[in-house]
Amino acid sequence: MPVFYGTEITSRLMLGTAQYPSPKALREAFRRSGAGIATVSLRREAGGEGGAGEAFWQMIRDLNIPVLPNTAGCHSVREAVTTAHMAREVFDTRWIKLEVIGHADTLQPDPFGLLEAARILTEDGFQVFPYTTEDGVLGGRLLEAGCEVLMPWGAPIGTGLGLNNIYGLRSLRAQFPDVPMVIDAGLGLPSQAAQALELGFDAVLLNTAVAKAGDPATMAEGFARALEAGRLAYEADPMEPRDMAAPSTPVLGLAVLE
């Protein structure tokens, strides 16, 4: 299982906690999937102790898995850094999934703001999980800034399009073979998660694909099983594709008909 900042997680599925039709559906999705990490937005905890957010926070604590707070919805360095500090106090963890959004329609990361915020937060003791693109140059800069994990997108957040740039993702994986990498955002189907694992990525993080499914718990379990299949395929060292046909049955010993 992957190790993030010295912590080995129990599953390759990281699951979000927003948009579920009910708390019961959320709990069942986590139970059926066995997700190893719960991602949480600070806004869900806005009620604080004794407030509206306390019940939600207690439910997350009852899952008994590591919590990864995020800076979802932040569009500037200042906003992201401030949110990260608040999240550290609320959730009592140095982990932070760093989002600095650069475009309102695509929700694409702002590479310049992301790098600056990552540098500020790592120098302040945070363990940063940066939501980034498949850009290898940016990935290298984030690692130089102190990040030990990269989280490239598969496609824009909430689209369900899958892995839009297979070449770029494969190149990023090859460029940093020893860095834990998580596909974050854009997945809609378990088959897409399996493909990510087949490419050698260590885990996936998703939310909408499960929360907005007609049956979130069943979809969550489907993703968990797909991740197992994808990882097994990667470890099995699959055959190389080829253009020409090749017989799978030996021709030696075939009867000669004259």
Side-chain angles (χ1 to χ4, degrees):
M1 288 296 173
V3 176
F4 301 132
Y5 292 103
T7 298
E8 183 176 9
I9 61 174
T10 58
S11 166
R12 298 184 185 278
L13 178 58
M14 303 162 69
L15 198 54
T17 55
Q19 305 184 76
Y20 289 85
S22 68
K24 179 181 178 182
L26 187 156
R27 281 194 298 270
E28 188 64 10
F30 273 84
R31 187 188 70 79
R32 294 271 296 273
S33 69
I37 289 177
T39 61
V40 182
S41 169
L42 182 63
R43 291 176 175 81
R44 293 298 303 270
E45 184 58 15
E49 185 174 357
E54 177 59 22
F56 169 76
W57 180 218
Q58 183 58 51
M59 181 175 60
I60 298 303
R61 281 195 292 253
D62 290 344
L63 296 175
N64 198 30
I65 58 177
V67 172
L68 176 61
N70 63 54
T71 63
C74 293
H75 289 256
S76 71
V77 174
R78 181 179 179 182
E79 192 177 7
V81 170
T82 300
T83 301
H85 279 89
M86 294 172 65
R88 183 165 62 179
E89 291 185 18
V90 170
F91 297 107
D92 191 27
T93 176
R94 292 194 295 160
W95 283 10
I96 189 73
K97 181 199 164 189
L98 179 61
E99 291 185 21
V100 182
I101 301 301
H103 193 282
D105 292 333
T106 65
L107 300 182
Q108 179 175 344
D110 171 358
F112 310 102
L114 178 68
L115 181 57
E116 182 181 352
R119 184 175 294 114
I120 292 171
L121 291 173
T122 54
E123 289 177 352
D124 197 26
F126 282 88
Q127 295 174 329
V128 178
F129 296 65
Y131 163 62
T132 181
T133 66
E134 67 276 11
D135 187 323
V137 175
L138 176 58
R141 296 291 186 273
L142 288 167
L143 297 174
E144 291 172 0
C147 298
E148 297 182 11
V149 178
L150 294 178
M151 302 184 74
W153 65 350
I157 294 173
T159 62
L161 292 173
L163 306 180
N164 269 358
N165 185 354
I166 297 292
Y167 167 77
L169 290 170
R170 184 183 290 119
S171 176
L172 184 69
R173 179 69 282 182
Q175 192 173 347
F176 306 108
D178 299 323
V179 175
M181 289 192 197
V182 181
I183 293 294
D184 178 11
L187 301 185
L189 291 170
S191 57
Q192 298 160 351
Q195 186 180 25
L197 271 289
E198 289 167 1
L199 290 173
F201 287 88
D202 299 283
V204 303
L205 189 157
L206 52 89
N207 190 153
T208 307
V210 169
K212 289 299 186 182
D215 183 342
T218 299
M219 183 62 80
E221 183 176 342
F223 269 100
R225 294 188 183 189
L227 290 171
E228 292 180 10
R231 182 64 187 183
L232 286 173
Y234 173 74
E235 293 176 349
D237 188 16
M239 63 171 284
E240 290 291 334
R242 48 182 292 158
D243 293 329
M244 299 299 293
S248 56
T249 302
V251 296
L252 185 65
L254 285 178
V256 178
L257 304 177
E258 296 181 347

